Amino acid sequence: MLRKIFVQEMQSKAKLDAFYSLRKNEVQKSVRDVLGKDGIPIDVGLLAFSTVINMITSMFWGGAIQRNKGAGTNAEFRAAVSELLVILGKPNISDFIPSLARFDLQGIERNVKKASKRIEQIFDSVIYQRMKKNEEKSQGTKKTDSNDFLDFLLEFRDQDTGKSLSRAQMKAFLADIVIGGTGTTSTAFGWTMAELMLHPETMNKVQEELIEVVGANKIVEEYHIYKLPYLHAVVKEALRLHPPAPLLLPRSPTQSCTVGGYTIPKGAKVFMNAWAMHRDPQFWKIPWSFSLRDLLVIMLITWIT
Ligand code: HEM
């Protein structure tokens, strides 16, 4: 049910179109920020993280968190999410040797719980504020014009069962999206920029393509993306070499099964090594270095067919 809501309500074309101006606004703010820092080093990962988290919170609850008891601010929310992402990015011995999990040797579980609690408090506060506001609205004392994702979740009823979402489901859902959407995007952005700086020729070609398609000193719009095949290939090559989630998300079969001759017992935790697949010499001519050769061939074949 949560997957359905995410795909149909948050990622549908209509919803993405409806929130386009929010995304554009955040990108414009970030571009202005960069322009104002001529000659000053920029942490591009952090810049991307702030841009994406602001986009997601604008879609969720219209942006700024109103300060009240326990709510914190947008900056505190960003700090709590980024702290959690750092902990989640650490390899955890408990995942690989489950018998040691109860000792939590690196303290990862303890720290995750602490950081998650802060995020949960902020979600609780935002949900409470919105419910209060909606109640006032229904009593006619105040007018609200919000029609964001939080309103949708609060009003949601499953068509088949008539069930609404519990507060815990709502918070877990919001947390999954924030955590899934921010670290991944900012890591991908950071690596792409790093590879471009290490490959000035590629950087020049990207700039030439941007000038040709978008125009000098113009803002890239989402509809330009399909007309920027070279940039597209650069991002894909950076994702191949530096996948932000190298082991994807752990999976666990509900029944014992056999895959490729290996028995996977029910309940086992399975990690997919996407990082190794992306560097498999069977498929990639130059697996260890940033090279657009393979991707450009694939793009050409796709274009011809
Ligand atoms: C470069 C950017 C991103 C990368 C590399 C990435 C990577 C991934 C990966 C590897 C998975 C697990 C897939 C699987 O094993 O089934 C996943 C799932 C997911 N991602 Fe992303 N992601 C990115 C951006 C985003 C964004 C922007 C959002 C939200 C706004 C998001 C939300 C989710 C959610 C909710 C899931 C769980 C989906 C499900 O279980 O059905 N991701 N992502």
Side-chain angles (χ1 to χ4, degrees), residues 41-292:
I42 294 167
D43 182 338
V44 286
L46 192 65
L47 178 80
F49 176 78
S50 308
T51 313
V52 175
I53 203 163
N54 288 348
M55 280 178 189
I56 295 182
T57 47
S58 332
M59 273 177 90
F60 275 173
W61 53 67
I65 298 172
Q66 281 171 23
R67 210 178 223 304
N68 76 351
K69 207 171 149 232
T73 56
N74 272 7
E76 280 174 57
F77 182 63
R78 275 203 304 272
V81 173
S82 95
E83 191 189 334
L84 185 63
L85 286 170
V86 171
I87 308 168
L88 288 176
K90 288 187 178 154
N92 190 353
I93 247 175
S94 308
D95 286 334
F96 303 103
I97 312 173
S99 54
L100 294 179
R102 63 201 155 109
F103 302 114
D104 187 23
L105 290 174
Q106 298 148 275
I108 290 183
E109 195 175 331
R110 196 176 55 246
N111 290 336
V112 162
K113 280 187 180 150
K114 219 167 91 191
S116 312
K117 203 164 166 208
R118 183 67 193 123
I119 295 176
E120 196 177 344
Q121 277 172 346
I122 297 178
F123 281 150
D124 267 328
S125 173
V126 172
I127 294 172
Y128 171 76
Q129 284 174 23
R130 179 59 60 84
M131 285 169 76
K132 214 168 115 202
K133 213 168 169 188
N134 287 353
E135 210 177 280
E136 285 170 359
K137 188 173 91 175
S138 69
Q139 288 166 359
T141 53
K142 246 186 194 164
K143 261 194 168 168
T144 56
D145 50 4
S146 61
N147 184 18
D148 48 33
F149 199 57
L150 185 56
D151 269 341
F152 171 82
L153 292 181
L154 287 168
E155 282 156 26
F156 177 80
R157 291 268 175 287
D158 186 55
Q159 278 180 346
D160 301 325
T161 60
K163 274 192 185 164
S164 51
L165 292 177
S166 69
R167 174 79 74 102
Q169 280 174 323
M170 237 183 266
K171 286 187 291 187
F173 189 47
L174 294 174
D176 269 359
I177 297 173
V178 173
I179 291 160
T182 49
T184 45
T185 320
S186 48
T187 307
F189 188 71
W191 277 113
T192 309
M193 290 305 283
E195 289 291 2
L196 281 175
M197 291 175 99
L198 288 170
H199 297 85
E201 250 182 61
T202 312
M203 175 74 107
N204 282 344
K205 281 193 195 154
V206 170
Q207 288 171 341
E208 276 165 22
E209 190 186 58
L210 283 167
I211 290 173
E212 196 186 314
V213 175
V214 182
N217 301 322
K218 298 253 171 65
I219 289 259
V220 181
E221 301 275 352
E222 286 177 10
Y223 56 77
H224 287 129
I225 291 172
Y226 306 97
K227 298 179 194 155
L228 297 165
Y230 193 79
L231 175 65
H232 220 127
V234 166
V235 174
K236 284 192 168 170
E237 178 65 352
L239 283 170
R240 176 185 75 80
L241 269 185
H242 313 286
L247 301 179
L248 304 185
L249 292 182
R251 287 151 190 281
S252 187
T254 46
Q255 284 175 17
S256 297
C257 54
T258 309
V259 178
Y262 294 93
T263 304
I264 305 183
K266 174 181 166 183
K269 210 179 242 186
V270 183
F271 290 89
M272 306 278 175
N273 194 343
W275 185 90
M277 292 178 209
H278 289 188
R279 287 160 191 252
D280 188 338
Q282 210 187 325
F283 301 108
W284 305 100
K285 276 263 176 318
I286 320 167
W288 292 92
S289 54
F290 184 85
S291 149
L292 290 174

